[in-house]
C-alpha cells in the first residue's frame, strides 16, 4: 500500500537486486510512532476538516479540542498501542506525544499549566492500561521537553514544553527559561515511575 502510494506520487524508491532479501532478513527490533490525537471521517465531502500534521479529519463532537483544533483523545493512544502491537508483535516506543497550548507567565515568574498535566496524566494512564493488556511498551518521550517553534503552525506561542522559553512568534525575547508547574509534576512522575499519577 505504501509502495503503491509512493508510485502514484512519482516517489518510487530505487531498489537494487537483493534489497528485498536484506529487508526480509533484517527486520526491525521495535516500532516507534508519534501520537497527538485521533481522527474521524465523514462521507460528507463538505464536512469541516480539523487540522493535523499530515492528515485532516472531521471533528469528533465527543472529544475536547485544543485551541488549535487538535482533539484530545487519550483512549485513542491505548487503541493505537494495542492495534500496533497486535499487528507487528514488536516492542513499541512512543517517540512524540504532547499538547500545544498558550502559557501565561505570572508576575512572580510561575507558569500554571494544569491542562498539560491533565493531558499527560490521562495519556499515561491509558499507556498503563495497554501494558496491562499485554502491550510491550519499551519507551516514551514527550514533545517537547522545552518550548520550541511548532512545526505545524510556525508559532512559538503554541507551546509544548515543560520549560518555558521567553520568545514570541516573531523571534523577540530574552530566551530565558522558566520551569512550568508541569515540569515539577513530570519530574515526580519520573522519580516515582508513575506511582504519583493519582495524586493531585
Amino acid at each position: 500500500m505504501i509502495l503503491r502510494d509512493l508510485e502514484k506520487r512519482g516517489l518510487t524508491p530505487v531498489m537494487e537486486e537483493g534489497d528485498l532479501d536484506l529487508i526480509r532478513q533484517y527486520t526491525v527490533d521495535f516500532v516507534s510512532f508519534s501520537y497527538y490525537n485521533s481522527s474521524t471521517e465523514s462521507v460528507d465531502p463538505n464536512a469541516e476538516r480539523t487540522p493535523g500534521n499530515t492528515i485532516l479529519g472531521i471533528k469528533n463532537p465527543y472529544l475536547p479540542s485544543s485551541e488549535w483544533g487538535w482533539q484530545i483523545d487519550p483512549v485513542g493512544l491505548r487503541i493505537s498501542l494495542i492495534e500496533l502491537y497486535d499487528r507487528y508483535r514488536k516492542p513499541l516506543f512512543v517517540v512524540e506525544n504532547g499538547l500545544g497550548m498558550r502559557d501565561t507567565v505570572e508576575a512572580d515568574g510561575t507558569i500554571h499549566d494544569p491542562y498539560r498535566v491533565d493531558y499527560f496524566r490521562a495519556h499515561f494512564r491509558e499507556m498503563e492500561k495497554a501494558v496491562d493488556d499485554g502491550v510491550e511498551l519499551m519507551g516514551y518521550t514527550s514533545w517537547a521537553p522545552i518550548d520550541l517553534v511548532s512545526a505545524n503552525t510556525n508559532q512559538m506561542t503554541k507551546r509544548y514544553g515543560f520549560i518555558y522559553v521567553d520568545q514570541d512568534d516573531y523571534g523577540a525575547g530574552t530566551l530565558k527559561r522558566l520551569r512550568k508547574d508541569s515540569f515539577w509534576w513530570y519530574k515526580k512522575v519520573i522519580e516515582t515511575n508513575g506511582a504519583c499519577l493519582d495524586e493531585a
Side-chain angles (χ1 to χ4, degrees):
M1 188 167 143
I2 292 174
L3 283 174
R4 190 175 302 130
D5 179 58
L6 291 172
E7 185 179 297
K8 287 178 184 176
R9 296 190 288 152
L11 301 171
T12 307
V14 176
M15 298 292 285
E16 302 291 337
E17 186 177 340
D19 284 353
L20 290 177
D21 292 330
L22 287 171
I23 291 170
R24 276 188 212 89
Q25 186 178 355
Y26 299 104
T27 58
V28 297
D29 297 320
F30 65 93
V31 174
S32 63
F33 69 103
S34 303
Y35 180 87
Y36 291 95
N37 57 328
S38 60
S39 182
T40 57
E41 198 45 84
S42 172
V43 296
D44 179 0
N46 300 314
E48 184 181 349
R49 312 302 265 173
T50 59
N53 269 351
T54 57
I55 59 170
L56 297 176
I58 305 301
K59 186 177 176 76
N60 184 334
Y62 302 102
L63 294 174
S65 299
S66 74
E67 178 181 348
W68 281 269
W70 288 34
Q71 303 224 259
I72 300 169
D73 184 9
V75 173
L77 174 57
R78 176 164 46 104
I79 292 168
S80 298
L81 287 163
I82 291 168
E83 287 187 356
L84 286 169
Y85 189 70
D86 187 53
R87 181 183 304 158
Y88 299 111
R89 292 296 169 176
K90 296 286 184 184
L92 302 179
F93 198 123
V94 180
V95 293
E96 286 186 32
N97 174 241
L99 175 68
M101 295 289 282
R102 292 185 194 273
D103 294 321
T104 302
V105 180
E106 304 295 336
D108 63 358
T110 57
I111 300 154
H112 307 299
D113 57 342
Y115 38 85
R116 189 166 289 110
V117 170
D118 291 344
Y119 176 94
F120 282 108
R121 178 183 286 124
H123 284 75
F124 291 172
R125 284 181 175 146
E126 295 303 322
M127 286 190 289
E128 281 184 327
K129 290 176 185 176
V131 170
D132 288 344
D133 287 341
V135 170
E136 190 177 351
L137 181 58
M138 67 182 287
Y140 171 91
T141 53
S142 69
W143 186 267
I146 189 168
D147 288 344
L148 43 68
V149 176
S150 170
N152 176 255
T153 64
N154 296 318
Q155 291 176 286
M156 190 70 179
T157 47
K158 186 181 182 186
R159 298 180 179 277
Y160 285 89
F162 302 113
I163 299 170
Y164 182 93
V165 178
D166 179 30
Q167 187 175 44
D168 66 17
D169 289 341
Y170 304 99
T174 65
L175 298 179
K176 180 179 178 181
R177 273 76 160 155
L178 298 168
R179 289 174 281 201
K180 306 175 189 179
D181 287 354
S182 60
F183 172 92
W184 301 109
W185 175 82
Y186 194 41
K187 179 178 184 286
K188 190 171 182 183
V189 169
I190 293 168
E191 288 171 346
T192 67
N193 196 28
C196 69
L197 282 183
D198 292 323
E199 296 176 12

